Amino acid sequence: MNVLVLLAGILFLLMSLIGGRKGVRSFIALFLNFGVIIVTLFFMNVPDINSIILTMIACVAISCINLFYINEVNKKTKTAFISTMITTLILVVFISIITNNAMIQGFGEEETEEMGMFSFLIGIDFVKIAVSVIIMSTIGAITDAAMAIASPMREMQYHHPDISRKELFAFGLSIGRDILGTSTNTLFFAFFGAYLALLIWFKDLSYSLGEIVNSKIFSSEMITILCAAIGVTAVIPVTSWITAYFLVKNNSKDC
């Protein structure tokens, strides 16, 4: 507990010194997002509540916190929010299809020994839970990418008010290409960093490469990472188009 408090204190100090007022808001947003996740998990145990719809509501709340609370309500956060929601809705349909066909819901055979003492008859659709997990894993990356594109586009339009919509859209795509590689690699290495022990376990079990790739645990996590990468990629043209449309349509210079 003391270590957690110490690390949180160091993080708060650094975010305050470097980020100023926005850094303090970002630190508070961490706990607000954590609260949203806890509330979502609490209501997800209710059998009559659709977990996918509940997750979408949570994504809206998380996006509002990350965009409007931290960066306040302005043109760039509005366009980033709209882009995030559109991309997430499209991604939900895509993830639902992938999850139903890949059969990654539930637990893998490597986990059955540890979970054997518990009952799996809890009255919850594990397919919907799998979809919800992937959506929650992607929302942060999508919101971050949308804001990273909308913000420089707003600055470009502010300093060059006569820029055309086509030119601004091309500028947004250019920014998106710059962040695409780093964003997808961040998601990729986040998986391997979190599941390094799992890979070592697979090695100790003498799993072949084919057995590793086809195991439910590995497949479910890789599908999550790939869906997140698809979401980050898809949000680039969506954000570029929406931001270019609203900024050129409304040529005022207020932020």
Side-chain angles (χ1 to χ4, degrees):
M1 183 65 181
N2 292 333
V3 176
L4 296 177
V5 175
L6 177 61
L7 292 175
I10 294 174
L11 178 62
F12 176 75
L13 180 62
L14 291 176
M15 294 180 72
S16 301
L17 293 176
I18 298 174
R21 181 181 178 186
K22 189 170 291 187
V24 175
R25 288 189 174 187
S26 299
F27 182 81
I28 298 174
L30 293 174
F31 294 93
L32 294 177
N33 288 328
F34 180 73
V36 171
I37 294 175
I38 293 299
V39 172
T40 303
L41 292 175
F42 176 79
F43 283 101
M44 201 168 285
N45 289 329
V46 180
D48 295 332
I49 295 181
N50 190 307
S51 59
I52 297 179
I53 296 177
L54 181 63
T55 303
M56 288 301 301
I57 296 174
C59 288
V60 172
I62 292 172
S63 298
C64 289
I65 293 171
N66 293 340
L67 294 173
F68 299 135
Y69 176 72
I70 297 176
N71 299 286
E72 300 180 349
V73 180
N74 48 59
K75 288 183 178 180
K76 55 190 177 186
T77 54
K78 289 179 181 179
T79 55
F81 177 78
I82 295 173
S83 304
T84 299
M85 291 298 102
I86 292 175
T87 305
T88 303
L89 287 173
I90 297 173
L91 203 60
V92 166
V93 178
F94 177 75
I95 292 173
S96 298
I97 296 174
I98 293 296
T99 303
N100 283 320
N101 287 277
M103 301 295 292
I104 60 172
Q105 69 275 6
F107 302 96
E109 60 181 8
E110 295 83 5
E111 301 169 297
T112 54
E113 183 177 348
E114 298 177 2
M115 305 296 296
M117 66 183 72
F118 300 104
S119 173
F120 296 112
L121 302 177
I122 57 178
I124 298 177
D125 190 342
F126 274 87
V127 176
K128 293 180 180 179
I129 294 297
V131 174
S132 299
V133 169
I134 298 176
I135 295 171
M136 291 295 289
S137 301
T138 61
I139 186 63
I142 293 174
T143 305
D144 180 66
M147 191 61 191
I149 296 171
S151 183
M153 288 182 69
R154 177 67 186 102
E155 290 299 316
M156 173 62 75
Q157 189 272 339
Y158 180 83
H159 293 289
H160 301 277
D162 296 328
I163 189 172
S164 67
R165 183 176 295 167
K166 183 178 180 180
E167 292 173 333
L168 189 60
F169 175 72
F171 175 76
L173 290 180
S174 177
I175 296 295
R177 295 188 187 101
D178 291 337
I179 69 172
L180 181 59
T182 55
S183 298
T184 52
N185 275 281
T186 298
L187 295 170
F188 180 77
F189 285 109
F191 161 74
F192 279 99
Y195 283 85
L196 184 60
L198 175 64
L199 298 177
I200 295 174
W201 187 24
F202 283 153
K203 178 181 177 297
D204 292 338
L205 293 174
S206 299
Y207 274 29
S208 65
L209 180 60
E211 289 174 325
I212 293 175
V213 172
N214 288 284
S215 66
K216 181 178 287 189
I217 299 177
F218 184 87
S219 298
S220 62
E221 293 303 323
M222 282 304 300
I223 288 175
T224 300
I225 298 303
L226 292 174
C227 288
I230 291 172
V232 170
T233 305
V235 80
I236 292 174
V238 173
T239 305
S240 300
W241 187 87
I242 291 177
T243 305
Y245 177 81
F246 280 103
L247 291 184
V248 175
K249 182 180 179 181
N250 303 303
N251 245 353
S252 61
K253 292 187 178 182
D254 60 306
C255 287

